[in-house]
């Protein structure tokens, strides 16, 4: 008998030995795979190190560009597992643009889940200390995907602005300084429409009635408010300054507001308005032209607008900065009183060697 021939009995014995080993191996592999799968899905894979971390994915970005943006955030612990999970969840077919906040402790499933449905984190849009349209476009472009060029194009398009009830000289008054939540993917036309909606909400029936009592349109109120804002940073003084200019308008006097001259000259470094500046020919130069200028000289905030709508009732016609440089002003009813106040301020400027 051939000794190399395996008997059926021996085969059954070998099979009975191999089966438990194979089952044990398969069980080990199953447990190992399950544990790894659990880690891929649920184990925290985002470390923001106590800082807000955002991922921005531009419109039209490919899967690889999106993954590069996510990894560039520096918050992903295991990049390989994230990519594995993204493929399992078909993220390569579902890339959506937007700005997304990564939360500390998120697992891969949470990260990809938010990205694939486009669950953006809103942007808190704010704008202050804006004078010119191009400055406004530049500021807005830092907050949303729309470019400065796209925004600037709309802000300079008279035909388009007319559909909103504005023109290039008044459009900045449509932007009421506040904090607005918008999505990063908001387009330039969408943002303009949103700001028009917010403007209409701001100009309530009560505010419109107050403007009408003053003989002003909302745009004119914003124009005067921009002058008041340029004159004083003190909110408690704004109604008094507004009262001065309204008194001048009612008397048919020129406003003679220094900030309008600075705006006309376009030299915002001027600290001391001189005769040479007063001669500059511009409709914004309220020393040469009576009434309000064509439009706002900055984007007036709510406190400035409400100061014009609720002015202090007084007889002051003049004011100038106090010589103590406190930011407040000295007010006068007569020209002689004003000259005395102005002389003290001019002397203080000279003492500090402020010549322009």
């Amino acid at each position: 008998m051939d000794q190399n021939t395996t008997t059926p009995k021996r085969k059954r014995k070998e099979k009975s030995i191999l089966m438990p080993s194979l089952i044990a191996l398969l069980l080990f592999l199953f447990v190992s795979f399950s544990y790894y799968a659990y880690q891929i899905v649920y184990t925290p894979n985002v470390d923001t190190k106590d800082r807000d971390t955002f991922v921005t994915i531009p419109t039209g970005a490919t899967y690889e560009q999106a993954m590069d943006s996510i990894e560039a955030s520096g918050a992903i612990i295991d990049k390989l597992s994230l990519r594995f999970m993204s493929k399992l969840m078909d993220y390569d077919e579902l890339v959506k643009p937007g700005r997304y906040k990564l939360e500390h402790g998120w697992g891969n499933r949470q990260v990809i889940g938010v990205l694939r449905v486009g669950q953006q984190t809103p942007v808190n849009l704010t704008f202050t200390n804006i004078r010119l349209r191009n400055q406004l476009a530049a500021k807005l472009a830092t907050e949303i995907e729309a470019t400065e060029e796209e925004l600037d194009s709309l802000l300079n398009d008279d035909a388009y602005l007319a559909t909103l009830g504005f023109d290039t000289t008044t459009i900045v008054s449509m932007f009421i300084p506040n904090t607005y939540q918008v999505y990063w993917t908001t387009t330039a036309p969408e943002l303009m429409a949103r700001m028009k909606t917010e403007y209409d909400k701001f100009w309530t029936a009560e505010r419109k009635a107050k403007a009408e009592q003053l003989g002003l349109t909302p745009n004119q109120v914003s124009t005067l408010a921009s002058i008041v804002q340029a004159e004083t940073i003190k909110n408690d003084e704004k109604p008094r300054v507004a009262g001065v200019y309204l008194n001048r308008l009612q008397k048919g006097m020129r406003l003679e507001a220094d900030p309008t001259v600075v705006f006309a000259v376009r030299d915002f470094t001027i600290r001391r308005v001189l005769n040479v500046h007063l001669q500059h020919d511009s409709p914004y130069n309220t020393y040469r032209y009576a009434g309000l200028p064509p439009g706002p000289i900055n984007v007036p905030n709510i406190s400035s607008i409400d100061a014009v709508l609720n002015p202090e009732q007084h007889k002051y016609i003049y004011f100038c900065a106090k010589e103590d440089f406190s930011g407040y002003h000295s007010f006068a009813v007569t020209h002689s009183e004003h000259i005395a106040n102005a002389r003290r301020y001019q002397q203080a400027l000279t003492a500090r060697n402020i010549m322009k």
Side-chain angles (χ1 to χ4, degrees), residues 188-239:
E190 287 173 341
L191 182 63
M192 295 292 284
R194 170 68 183 281
M195 291 298 98
K196 178 58 164 63
T197 298
E198 297 295 341
Y199 175 86
D200 291 339
K201 287 180 184 177
F202 174 81
W203 278 101
T204 61
E206 180 183 3
R207 283 193 171 104
K208 287 180 180 178
K210 289 181 177 180
E212 188 175 358
Q213 289 173 0
L214 296 171
L216 301 174
T217 66
N219 277 336
Q220 289 173 325
V221 169
S222 293
T223 297
L224 183 51
S226 71
I227 297 174
V228 171
Q229 181 164 298
E231 290 283 18
T232 180
I233 61 173
K234 306 295 185 180
N235 287 339
D236 59 338
E237 192 182 54
K238 287 180 179 180

Short mmCIF file of all heavy atoms in Angstrom, two decimals, residues 188-239:
data_model
loop_
_atom_site.label_atom_id
_atom_site.label_comp_id
_atom_site.label_asym_id
_atom_site.label_seq_id
_atom_site.Cartn_x
_atom_site.Cartn_y
_atom_site.Cartn_z
N ALA A 188 -23.30 87.99 -6.16
CA ALA A 188 -23.38 89.45 -6.07
C ALA A 188 -24.83 89.93 -6.20
O ALA A 188 -25.29 90.74 -5.39
CB ALA A 188 -22.48 90.09 -7.12
N PRO A 189 -25.61 89.47 -7.21
CA PRO A 189 -27.01 89.90 -7.30
C PRO A 189 -27.84 89.47 -6.09
O PRO A 189 -28.72 90.21 -5.64
CB PRO A 189 -27.50 89.22 -8.58
CG PRO A 189 -26.27 89.00 -9.40
CD PRO A 189 -25.21 88.68 -8.40
N GLU A 190 -27.56 88.28 -5.57
CA GLU A 190 -28.30 87.80 -4.39
C GLU A 190 -28.01 88.68 -3.18
O GLU A 190 -28.91 88.99 -2.39
CB GLU A 190 -27.92 86.35 -4.08
CG GLU A 190 -28.49 85.34 -5.06
CD GLU A 190 -27.96 83.93 -4.84
OE1 GLU A 190 -26.90 83.78 -4.18
OE2 GLU A 190 -28.57 82.98 -5.35
N LEU A 191 -26.76 89.09 -3.03
CA LEU A 191 -26.41 89.95 -1.90
C LEU A 191 -27.08 91.31 -2.04
O LEU A 191 -27.58 91.87 -1.06
CB LEU A 191 -24.90 90.12 -1.80
CG LEU A 191 -24.43 90.97 -0.62
CD1 LEU A 191 -24.82 90.32 0.71
CD2 LEU A 191 -22.93 91.21 -0.66
N MET A 192 -27.08 91.87 -3.23
CA MET A 192 -27.72 93.16 -3.45
C MET A 192 -29.21 93.08 -3.13
O MET A 192 -29.78 93.98 -2.49
CB MET A 192 -27.51 93.62 -4.89
CG MET A 192 -26.06 93.91 -5.27
SD MET A 192 -25.39 95.37 -4.42
CE MET A 192 -26.18 96.69 -5.34
N ALA A 193 -29.85 91.99 -3.55
CA ALA A 193 -31.28 91.80 -3.27
C ALA A 193 -31.51 91.67 -1.77
O ALA A 193 -32.49 92.21 -1.23
CB ALA A 193 -31.79 90.56 -4.01
N ARG A 194 -30.61 90.98 -1.09
CA ARG A 194 -30.75 90.82 0.37
C ARG A 194 -30.61 92.16 1.07
O ARG A 194 -31.37 92.49 2.00
CB ARG A 194 -29.67 89.85 0.87
CG ARG A 194 -29.53 89.77 2.39
CD ARG A 194 -30.75 89.14 3.06
NE ARG A 194 -30.61 89.16 4.51
CZ ARG A 194 -29.86 88.30 5.21
NH1 ARG A 194 -29.19 87.33 4.59
NH2 ARG A 194 -29.80 88.38 6.52
N MET A 195 -29.64 92.98 0.65
CA MET A 195 -29.45 94.28 1.28
C MET A 195 -30.63 95.21 1.02
O MET A 195 -31.00 96.01 1.88
CB MET A 195 -28.16 94.92 0.76
CG MET A 195 -26.88 94.22 1.23
SD MET A 195 -26.65 94.22 3.03
CE MET A 195 -27.25 92.58 3.46
N LYS A 196 -31.25 95.08 -0.16
CA LYS A 196 -32.45 95.88 -0.44
C LYS A 196 -33.59 95.46 0.49
O LYS A 196 -34.34 96.31 1.00
CB LYS A 196 -32.87 95.70 -1.90
CG LYS A 196 -34.15 96.46 -2.29
CD LYS A 196 -34.01 97.97 -2.04
CE LYS A 196 -35.08 98.78 -2.75
NZ LYS A 196 -36.45 98.50 -2.31
N THR A 197 -33.71 94.17 0.72
CA THR A 197 -34.74 93.67 1.64
C THR A 197 -34.52 94.20 3.05
O THR A 197 -35.46 94.63 3.73
CB THR A 197 -34.75 92.13 1.65
OG1 THR A 197 -35.07 91.64 0.34
CG2 THR A 197 -35.77 91.58 2.65
N GLU A 198 -33.24 94.17 3.49
CA GLU A 198 -32.92 94.66 4.83
C GLU A 198 -33.16 96.17 4.92
O GLU A 198 -33.60 96.68 5.95
CB GLU A 198 -31.47 94.33 5.18
CG GLU A 198 -31.15 92.84 5.26
CD GLU A 198 -31.89 92.12 6.38
OE1 GLU A 198 -32.38 92.80 7.31
OE2 GLU A 198 -31.99 90.88 6.33
N TYR A 199 -32.87 96.88 3.85
CA TYR A 199 -33.11 98.33 3.80
C TYR A 199 -34.59 98.63 3.95
O TYR A 199 -34.99 99.53 4.71
CB TYR A 199 -32.57 98.88 2.47
CG TYR A 199 -32.84 100.35 2.22
CD1 TYR A 199 -31.98 101.32 2.71
CD2 TYR A 199 -33.95 100.76 1.49
CE1 TYR A 199 -32.22 102.67 2.47
CE2 TYR A 199 -34.19 102.10 1.24
CZ TYR A 199 -33.33 103.06 1.74
OH TYR A 199 -33.57 104.39 1.52
N ASP A 200 -35.41 97.89 3.22
CA ASP A 200 -36.86 98.10 3.29
C ASP A 200 -37.40 97.78 4.69
O ASP A 200 -38.32 98.45 5.17
CB ASP A 200 -37.56 97.23 2.25
CG ASP A 200 -37.30 97.71 0.82
OD1 ASP A 200 -36.93 98.89 0.66
OD2 ASP A 200 -37.46 96.90 -0.11
N LYS A 201 -36.81 96.77 5.34
CA LYS A 201 -37.23 96.45 6.71
C LYS A 201 -36.85 97.58 7.66
O LYS A 201 -37.61 97.92 8.58
CB LYS A 201 -36.55 95.15 7.17
CG LYS A 201 -37.08 93.88 6.54
CD LYS A 201 -36.32 92.69 7.10
CE LYS A 201 -36.75 91.39 6.45
NZ LYS A 201 -35.94 90.24 6.96
N PHE A 202 -35.67 98.15 7.47
CA PHE A 202 -35.18 99.21 8.35
C PHE A 202 -36.05 100.44 8.26
O PHE A 202 -36.38 101.07 9.27
CB PHE A 202 -33.73 99.55 7.99
CG PHE A 202 -33.19 100.73 8.74
CD1 PHE A 202 -32.73 100.59 10.04
CD2 PHE A 202 -33.15 102.00 8.17
CE1 PHE A 202 -32.24 101.68 10.75
CE2 PHE A 202 -32.67 103.09 8.87
CZ PHE A 202 -32.22 102.93 10.16
N TRP A 203 -36.42 100.80 7.03
CA TRP A 203 -37.22 102.01 6.84
C TRP A 203 -38.69 101.71 7.09
O TRP A 203 -39.49 101.57 6.18
CB TRP A 203 -36.98 102.60 5.45
CG TRP A 203 -35.72 103.41 5.44
CD1 TRP A 203 -34.51 103.05 4.96
CD2 TRP A 203 -35.57 104.73 5.97
NE1 TRP A 203 -33.59 104.04 5.16
CE2 TRP A 203 -34.21 105.10 5.77
CE3 TRP A 203 -36.43 105.64 6.58
CZ2 TRP A 203 -33.70 106.34 6.19
CZ3 TRP A 203 -35.92 106.87 7.00
CH2 TRP A 203 -34.58 107.21 6.78
N THR A 204 -38.99 101.63 8.38
CA THR A 204 -40.36 101.37 8.82
C THR A 204 -41.25 102.58 8.53
O THR A 204 -40.76 103.67 8.20
CB THR A 204 -40.38 101.08 10.32
OG1 THR A 204 -39.87 102.24 11.02
CG2 THR A 204 -39.51 99.87 10.67
N ALA A 205 -42.54 102.38 8.69
CA ALA A 205 -43.49 103.49 8.50
C ALA A 205 -43.17 104.63 9.45
O ALA A 205 -43.29 105.81 9.09
CB ALA A 205 -44.92 102.98 8.72
N GLU A 206 -42.74 104.31 10.66
CA GLU A 206 -42.41 105.34 11.65
C GLU A 206 -41.21 106.16 11.20
O GLU A 206 -41.23 107.40 11.28
CB GLU A 206 -42.12 104.70 13.01
CG GLU A 206 -41.78 105.71 14.09
CD GLU A 206 -41.44 105.05 15.43
OE1 GLU A 206 -41.40 103.81 15.49
OE2 GLU A 206 -41.18 105.80 16.40
N ARG A 207 -40.16 105.51 10.72
CA ARG A 207 -38.98 106.23 10.26
C ARG A 207 -39.31 107.08 9.03
O ARG A 207 -38.84 108.21 8.90
CB ARG A 207 -37.84 105.26 9.96
CG ARG A 207 -37.11 104.74 11.21
CD ARG A 207 -35.82 104.05 10.83
NE ARG A 207 -35.00 103.72 12.00
CZ ARG A 207 -34.88 102.51 12.52
NH1 ARG A 207 -35.53 101.49 11.97
NH2 ARG A 207 -34.12 102.30 13.58
N LYS A 208 -40.09 106.54 8.12
CA LYS A 208 -40.47 107.29 6.93
C LYS A 208 -41.29 108.53 7.30
O LYS A 208 -41.12 109.60 6.70
CB LYS A 208 -41.27 106.40 5.98
CG LYS A 208 -40.44 105.35 5.26
CD LYS A 208 -41.31 104.51 4.34
CE LYS A 208 -40.48 103.46 3.61
NZ LYS A 208 -41.33 102.60 2.74
N ALA A 209 -42.16 108.38 8.30
CA ALA A 209 -42.99 109.52 8.73
C ALA A 209 -42.12 110.62 9.32
O ALA A 209 -42.35 111.82 9.08
CB ALA A 209 -44.03 109.05 9.75
N LYS A 210 -41.10 110.23 10.10
CA LYS A 210 -40.20 111.22 10.69
C LYS A 210 -39.40 111.94 9.61
O LYS A 210 -39.17 113.15 9.70
CB LYS A 210 -39.26 110.54 11.69
CG LYS A 210 -39.95 110.09 12.98
CD LYS A 210 -38.96 109.46 13.94
CE LYS A 210 -39.64 109.09 15.25
NZ LYS A 210 -38.70 108.47 16.22
N ALA A 211 -38.97 111.19 8.60
CA ALA A 211 -38.23 111.81 7.49
C ALA A 211 -39.12 112.81 6.77
O ALA A 211 -38.68 113.92 6.42
CB ALA A 211 -37.74 110.73 6.53
N GLU A 212 -40.36 112.44 6.55
CA GLU A 212 -41.29 113.32 5.85
C GLU A 212 -41.54 114.61 6.64
O GLU A 212 -41.63 115.70 6.07
CB GLU A 212 -42.61 112.60 5.60
CG GLU A 212 -43.58 113.37 4.72
CD GLU A 212 -44.82 112.57 4.39
OE1 GLU A 212 -44.91 111.39 4.81
OE2 GLU A 212 -45.71 113.12 3.71
N GLN A 213 -41.60 114.48 7.96
CA GLN A 213 -41.78 115.66 8.81
C GLN A 213 -40.61 116.62 8.68
O GLN A 213 -40.76 117.84 8.83
CB GLN A 213 -41.95 115.24 10.27
CG GLN A 213 -43.28 114.56 10.57
CD GLN A 213 -43.35 114.01 11.99
OE1 GLN A 213 -42.39 114.13 12.76
NE2 GLN A 213 -44.47 113.40 12.34
N LEU A 214 -39.44 116.09 8.41
CA LEU A 214 -38.25 116.92 8.23
C LEU A 214 -38.14 117.45 6.80
O LEU A 214 -37.25 118.25 6.50
CB LEU A 214 -36.99 116.11 8.56
CG LEU A 214 -36.82 115.64 10.01
CD1 LEU A 214 -35.65 114.67 10.12
CD2 LEU A 214 -36.61 116.83 10.94
N GLY A 215 -39.02 116.99 5.93
CA GLY A 215 -38.95 117.40 4.53
C GLY A 215 -37.85 116.70 3.77
O GLY A 215 -37.34 117.22 2.78
N LEU A 216 -37.49 115.50 4.23
CA LEU A 216 -36.39 114.76 3.61
C LEU A 216 -36.85 113.39 3.14
O LEU A 216 -37.76 112.79 3.73
CB LEU A 216 -35.23 114.58 4.61
CG LEU A 216 -34.59 115.83 5.19
CD1 LEU A 216 -33.57 115.45 6.26
CD2 LEU A 216 -33.95 116.68 4.11
N THR A 217 -36.21 112.88 2.10
CA THR A 217 -36.44 111.49 1.68
C THR A 217 -35.50 110.59 2.49
O THR A 217 -34.52 111.08 3.09
CB THR A 217 -36.12 111.33 0.19
OG1 THR A 217 -34.70 111.54 -0.01
CG2 THR A 217 -36.92 112.30 -0.66
N PRO A 218 -35.74 109.28 2.51
CA PRO A 218 -34.81 108.38 3.20
C PRO A 218 -33.37 108.54 2.70
O PRO A 218 -32.42 108.51 3.50
CB PRO A 218 -35.37 107.00 2.89
CG PRO A 218 -36.84 107.23 2.81
CD PRO A 218 -36.97 108.56 2.10
N ASN A 219 -33.19 108.70 1.38
CA ASN A 219 -31.83 108.88 0.85
C ASN A 219 -31.20 110.17 1.36
O ASN A 219 -30.00 110.22 1.67
CB ASN A 219 -31.84 108.90 -0.68
CG ASN A 219 -31.85 107.49 -1.27
OD1 ASN A 219 -31.40 106.54 -0.62
ND2 ASN A 219 -32.35 107.36 -2.49
N GLN A 220 -31.99 111.23 1.46
CA GLN A 220 -31.47 112.49 1.99
C GLN A 220 -31.13 112.38 3.47
O GLN A 220 -30.15 112.97 3.94
CB GLN A 220 -32.48 113.60 1.73
CG GLN A 220 -32.61 114.00 0.28
CD GLN A 220 -33.73 114.99 0.04
OE1 GLN A 220 -34.78 114.94 0.70
NE2 GLN A 220 -33.52 115.92 -0.89
N VAL A 221 -31.95 111.63 4.20
CA VAL A 221 -31.65 111.39 5.62
C VAL A 221 -30.30 110.69 5.74
O VAL A 221 -29.46 111.05 6.58
CB VAL A 221 -32.76 110.54 6.29
CG1 VAL A 221 -32.31 110.07 7.67
CG2 VAL A 221 -34.04 111.34 6.40
N SER A 222 -30.08 109.68 4.91
CA SER A 222 -28.80 108.95 4.95
C SER A 222 -27.64 109.85 4.58
O SER A 222 -26.55 109.75 5.16
CB SER A 222 -28.85 107.75 4.00
OG SER A 222 -29.78 106.78 4.46
N THR A 223 -27.86 110.75 3.63
CA THR A 223 -26.80 111.68 3.24
C THR A 223 -26.43 112.60 4.40
O THR A 223 -25.24 112.79 4.71
CB THR A 223 -27.24 112.52 2.02
OG1 THR A 223 -27.47 111.64 0.91
CG2 THR A 223 -26.18 113.54 1.65
N LEU A 224 -27.44 113.16 5.05
CA LEU A 224 -27.16 114.03 6.20
C LEU A 224 -26.56 113.22 7.34
O LEU A 224 -25.65 113.69 8.03
CB LEU A 224 -28.44 114.72 6.66
CG LEU A 224 -28.30 115.72 7.81
CD1 LEU A 224 -27.20 116.74 7.53
CD2 LEU A 224 -29.62 116.42 8.09
N ALA A 225 -27.04 112.00 7.53
CA ALA A 225 -26.50 111.14 8.59
C ALA A 225 -25.03 110.84 8.36
O ALA A 225 -24.24 110.74 9.32
CB ALA A 225 -27.30 109.84 8.66
N SER A 226 -24.63 110.72 7.10
CA SER A 226 -23.22 110.44 6.81
C SER A 226 -22.35 111.63 7.20
O SER A 226 -21.20 111.46 7.64
CB SER A 226 -23.03 110.11 5.32
OG SER A 226 -23.20 111.27 4.49
N ILE A 227 -22.88 112.84 7.05
CA ILE A 227 -22.14 114.04 7.46
C ILE A 227 -22.03 114.08 8.98
O ILE A 227 -20.96 114.36 9.54
CB ILE A 227 -22.82 115.31 6.92
CG1 ILE A 227 -22.81 115.30 5.39
CG2 ILE A 227 -22.11 116.57 7.44
CD1 ILE A 227 -23.59 116.44 4.75
N VAL A 228 -23.14 113.82 9.65
CA VAL A 228 -23.15 113.80 11.12
C VAL A 228 -22.14 112.77 11.63
O VAL A 228 -21.37 113.03 12.56
CB VAL A 228 -24.56 113.46 11.65
CG1 VAL A 228 -24.53 113.21 13.15
CG2 VAL A 228 -25.53 114.59 11.32
N GLN A 229 -22.11 111.61 10.98
CA GLN A 229 -21.20 110.55 11.41
C GLN A 229 -19.74 110.95 11.21
O GLN A 229 -18.87 110.61 12.02
CB GLN A 229 -21.50 109.28 10.62
CG GLN A 229 -20.62 108.09 11.00
CD GLN A 229 -21.20 106.79 10.49
OE1 GLN A 229 -22.29 106.38 10.88
NE2 GLN A 229 -20.49 106.13 9.60
N ALA A 230 -19.48 111.68 10.13
CA ALA A 230 -18.11 112.14 9.86
C ALA A 230 -17.69 113.23 10.83
O ALA A 230 -16.49 113.42 11.08
CB ALA A 230 -17.99 112.64 8.42
N GLU A 231 -18.66 113.94 11.38
CA GLU A 231 -18.36 115.05 12.30
C GLU A 231 -18.07 114.58 13.72
O GLU A 231 -17.23 115.16 14.40
CB GLU A 231 -19.52 116.04 12.33
CG GLU A 231 -19.71 116.85 11.05
CD GLU A 231 -18.70 117.99 10.92
OE1 GLU A 231 -17.65 117.95 11.60
OE2 GLU A 231 -18.96 118.90 10.11
N THR A 232 -18.76 113.54 14.17
CA THR A 232 -18.59 113.13 15.57
C THR A 232 -18.71 111.62 15.72
O THR A 232 -19.55 110.98 15.07
CB THR A 232 -19.63 113.82 16.48
OG1 THR A 232 -19.42 113.38 17.84
CG2 THR A 232 -21.06 113.50 16.07
N ILE A 233 -17.87 111.09 16.59
CA ILE A 233 -17.95 109.66 16.90
C ILE A 233 -18.73 109.43 18.18
O ILE A 233 -18.92 108.30 18.61
CB ILE A 233 -16.54 109.06 17.05
CG1 ILE A 233 -15.78 109.74 18.20
CG2 ILE A 233 -15.76 109.14 15.75
CD1 ILE A 233 -14.45 109.09 18.53
N LYS A 234 -19.19 110.54 18.78
CA LYS A 234 -19.93 110.45 20.04
C LYS A 234 -21.42 110.31 19.76
O LYS A 234 -22.07 111.24 19.29
CB LYS A 234 -19.67 111.70 20.89
CG LYS A 234 -18.19 112.01 21.15
CD LYS A 234 -17.54 110.92 21.98
CE LYS A 234 -16.10 111.30 22.34
NZ LYS A 234 -15.43 110.26 23.15
N ASN A 235 -21.96 109.12 20.05
CA ASN A 235 -23.37 108.89 19.77
C ASN A 235 -24.29 109.85 20.51
O ASN A 235 -25.34 110.24 20.00
CB ASN A 235 -23.74 107.44 20.12
CG ASN A 235 -23.18 106.45 19.12
OD1 ASN A 235 -22.85 106.80 17.99
ND2 ASN A 235 -23.07 105.20 19.52
N ASP A 236 -23.89 110.24 21.74
CA ASP A 236 -24.75 111.13 22.52
C ASP A 236 -24.75 112.56 21.98
O ASP A 236 -25.62 113.37 22.31
CB ASP A 236 -24.33 111.13 23.99
CG ASP A 236 -22.89 111.57 24.20
OD1 ASP A 236 -22.09 111.48 23.26
OD2 ASP A 236 -22.56 112.00 25.32
N GLU A 237 -23.78 112.88 21.09
CA GLU A 237 -23.70 114.21 20.52
C GLU A 237 -24.32 114.29 19.12
O GLU A 237 -24.60 115.38 18.61
CB GLU A 237 -22.23 114.64 20.45
CG GLU A 237 -22.03 116.13 20.13
CD GLU A 237 -20.55 116.49 20.03
OE1 GLU A 237 -19.83 115.84 19.24
OE2 GLU A 237 -20.14 117.43 20.75
N LYS A 238 -24.55 113.16 18.51
CA LYS A 238 -25.05 113.15 17.13
C LYS A 238 -26.37 113.89 16.96
O LYS A 238 -26.53 114.63 15.98
CB LYS A 238 -25.16 111.70 16.63
CG LYS A 238 -23.81 111.06 16.34
CD LYS A 238 -23.96 109.62 15.87
CE LYS A 238 -22.58 109.01 15.57
NZ LYS A 238 -22.68 107.61 15.11
N PRO A 239 -27.37 113.71 17.84
CA PRO A 239 -28.63 114.45 17.66
C PRO A 239 -28.43 115.97 17.69
O PRO A 239 -29.14 116.71 16.98
CB PRO A 239 -29.49 113.98 18.84
CG PRO A 239 -28.96 112.63 19.17
CD PRO A 239 -27.48 112.75 18.97
#
